[in-house]
Amino acid sequence: MTGPTDRIVRSVEIEAPRERVWRALTDHVEFGAWFRVQLDGPFVPGAATRGRITHPGYEHLTMEVVTRRMEPPRLFSFTWHPYAVDPAVDYSAEPPTLVEFTLEPVPGGTRVTVTESGFDRIPPHRRDEAFRMNSGGWEAQVVNLRTHAQSPR
Amino acid sequence: MSTSGRTRRAPASPPHGVFAALGDPTRLALVARLSAGGPRSIADLTEGTAITRQAVTKHLRVLAHAGLVRSIKDGRERRFRLDPAPLGQAQRALADLAAQWEDALGRLRRFVERGDPPRTPGEGLG
């Protein structure tokens, strides 16, 4: 069971065949063009892809996704860390959210739906930990390691 | 507005505690009970449920930590009431992320339909 704050769902209809939309979503260069990130490699299920945000004003930020499923031309999914915006902070101990893109044919084109879920799994003390990590120091590293060790994944 | 790349701009105060607090079915049920009326004691909250006092106390503590529940001393008894403000913050934070996804999907649509990469000048993608 998930709470009322667990997920975001948004969709858009695009006047193009599914195969075209699939490429725009899953080719890392095309993805980077509209998402505004310069990715260092292709999306490969089970592997991490990193990149630098190219949106003006946010170029100091990086992002990392771990590709989960690539089922052409209908499902592409990855996990990442929500709010992971400070490059000086290690977010790897936190549970990621899951981002899923589904592609359905509709008359005249393709409907793309994005669902981001898993917000409820972010632990209650996260903000405190993030704060300690921001201030640096060993305590943060220890908290981080312990959380990571206890993480179910 | 915005333009904003889906860069995971954090909302002003990302209420992670709220998300996690509401992710548990027992706590969600407690919130539902508390939202249905005035301040309740632990005895009120356990009545008619299979949940122990200890469990309710523990869950109330998590809810209090997330700012969703406040306790009031009422004579010798402690009562708990819902504070809906963090719930609103959580919903606004999700709405903000949802707006960022809408922007990104809009850029995806324009990119595919116009073949027009909304690139930032001076950057050499591909």
Side-chain angles (χ1 to χ4, degrees):
Chain A
M1 172 168 176
T2 56
T5 49
D6 187 60
R7 64 183 51 223
I8 291 168
V9 182
R10 284 294 182 275
S11 64
V12 68
E13 284 188 15
I14 299 178
E15 290 177 20
R18 263 207 301 187
E19 287 67 22
R20 173 67 196 101
V21 178
W22 175 258
R23 193 168 77 242
L25 277 173
T26 58
D27 176 282
H28 73 284
V29 177
E30 293 205 7
F31 180 95
W34 61 266
F35 192 90
R36 296 177 174 163
V37 59
Q38 185 160 11
L39 293 169
D40 64 3
F43 296 114
V44 178
T49 303
R50 295 174 190 83
R52 186 163 282 281
I53 300 294
T54 56
H55 188 83
Y58 296 92
E59 294 96 334
H60 57 296
L61 302 177
T62 59
M63 73 177 231
E64 176 177 323
V65 308
V66 175
T67 302
R68 296 285 291 273
R69 292 163 73 183
M70 289 181 91
E71 298 172 14
R74 49 163 296 269
L75 175 67
F76 171 49
S77 65
F78 57 72
T79 55
W80 68 357
H81 290 98
Y83 307 116
V85 293
D86 182 347
V89 175
D90 178 8
Y91 296 92
S92 60
E94 294 176 16
T97 55
L98 174 67
V99 176
E100 287 181 298
F101 295 94
T102 57
L103 290 72
E104 311 157 67
V106 291
T110 304
R111 167 174 285 269
V112 178
T113 301
V114 62
T115 304
E116 180 166 6
S117 61
F119 293 101
D120 285 356
R121 292 168 51 237
I122 296 167
H125 300 298
R126 190 277 194 193
R127 258 193 293 181
D128 303 346
E129 287 171 11
F131 180 76
R132 284 198 295 273
M133 282 190 268
N134 271 322
S135 65
W138 287 106
E139 187 191 1
Q141 300 305 323
V142 170
V143 168
N144 203 1
L145 281 172
R146 194 173 56 223
T147 316
H148 191 66
Q150 291 167 351
S151 154
R153 36 179 70 225
Chain B
M1 105 142 230
S2 131
T3 74
S4 51
R6 179 70 182 28
T7 50
R8 286 281 132 165
R9 287 167 304 127
S13 175
H16 291 90
V18 176
F19 294 139
L22 296 175
D24 178 275
T26 306
R27 288 196 288 274
L28 204 52
L30 282 173
V31 167
R33 269 193 120 151
L34 286 167
S35 68
R40 306 286 197 94
S41 66
I42 287 183
D44 292 339
L45 290 168
T46 48
E47 196 187 314
T49 71
I51 313 165
T52 64
R53 271 184 86 88
Q54 288 81 356
V56 168
T57 305
K58 192 188 79 183
H59 287 302
L60 285 171
R61 201 174 298 137
V62 175
L63 291 168
H65 184 83
L68 283 163
V69 159
R70 292 181 193 285
S71 73
I72 314 151
K73 197 92 173 170
D74 182 8
R76 282 179 319 160
E77 203 173 39
R78 191 166 280 285
R79 289 176 175 273
F80 297 85
R81 70 171 178 81
L82 192 66
D83 183 345
L87 213 50
Q89 278 171 25
Q91 273 152 0
R92 280 194 295 279
L94 285 188
D96 189 48
L97 292 179
Q100 292 182 44
W101 272 123
E102 262 172 35
D103 286 348
L105 290 178
R107 291 197 303 270
L108 169 66
R109 184 175 58 76
R110 289 190 296 276
F111 174 72
V112 170
E113 289 180 357
R114 299 186 200 160
D116 152 36
R119 290 183 188 179
T120 308
E123 124 204 335
L125 282 177

